[in-house]
Amino acid sequence: MNCPECGEPDSLCQTRFDEFLVLEFTDAGYGTVHHLTVAAYMLQHSSKLTREGWLHERELLREFLIENKPPAFIRKQKKDLVDSGKRKFKIKSRGGLPVINNTTWTKTILDVRVENAQIYCEDVTAWARSALDESEKISQV
Ligand SMILES: [Zn+2]
């Protein structure tokens, strides 16, 4: 069965995502783009998120890619937000219904090559940028 959210066959996207997380946690060269991998994957698999969570991930990706904020800085901001109890929304969904109904993406996680850390980081960045561009065109969220 094709993934109902990103369209990849046999839901290979989930397998690949799990493999990438292991790779990123075991090799620092790959780990530098961990924040992009997670945000891009979540944007393209919105059933894992609430509506607010999806919008939050999109905003995060924009901060990483467009505003060039370093992940550590954003993590601190997020932590402050959580600590101060300002965040009133849940990020993860239990309902399992997609937030968006877009299932065609120019790039998915399957476009990322893993030969070496440099290629991997370039491909993850290109995938994340493409996911952000397409997500920002979605007006009905
Ligand atoms: Zn998928």
Side-chain angles (χ1 to χ4, degrees):
M1 195 182 95
N2 291 357
C3 171
E5 300 195 71
C6 76
E8 292 297 355
D10 300 326
S11 297
L12 280 173
C13 47
Q14 175 75 56
T15 313
R16 189 65 70 89
F17 182 63
D18 294 339
E19 288 167 4
F20 282 6
L21 292 191
V22 173
L23 193 61
E24 290 173 358
F25 283 118
T26 49
D27 186 322
Y30 290 80
T32 53
V33 290
H34 174 67
H35 55 296
L36 298 180
T37 307
V38 173
Y41 185 80
M42 289 299 166
L43 272 189
Q44 292 185 335
H45 295 85
S46 66
S47 68
K48 298 182 189 305
L49 302 169
T50 60
R51 177 180 174 277
E52 291 79 8
W54 190 85
L55 291 168
H56 179 74
E57 292 296 331
R58 185 172 71 174
E59 180 58 29
L60 268 184
L61 207 48
R62 157 162 279 281
E63 289 177 1
F64 293 140
L65 292 169
I66 310 291
E67 299 169 26
N68 285 316
K69 290 190 188 166
F73 172 78
I74 295 171
R75 263 202 300 274
K76 175 164 187 324
Q77 270 192 329
K78 265 173 77 178
K79 188 172 176 301
D80 291 348
L81 201 64
V82 174
D83 288 349
S84 64
K86 281 187 206 142
R87 203 184 77 200
K88 298 286 189 213
F89 62 89
K90 287 200 175 93
I91 290 192
K92 293 201 172 152
S93 163
R94 286 163 181 265
L97 290 175
V99 175
I100 54 168
N101 56 19
N102 185 40
T103 56
T104 51
W105 302 91
T106 307
K107 282 178 188 288
T108 72
I109 196 164
L110 295 193
D111 291 299
V112 176
R113 294 163 299 166
V114 295
E115 281 92 320
N116 62 52
Q118 193 195 340
I119 287 176
Y120 180 81
C121 293
E122 283 170 10
D123 281 3
V124 166
T125 305
W127 161 47
R129 190 169 271 275
S130 155
L132 176 63
D133 283 350
E134 288 167 22
S135 295
E136 290 195 320
K137 292 195 188 96
I138 298 170
S139 51
Q140 283 162 321
V141 180

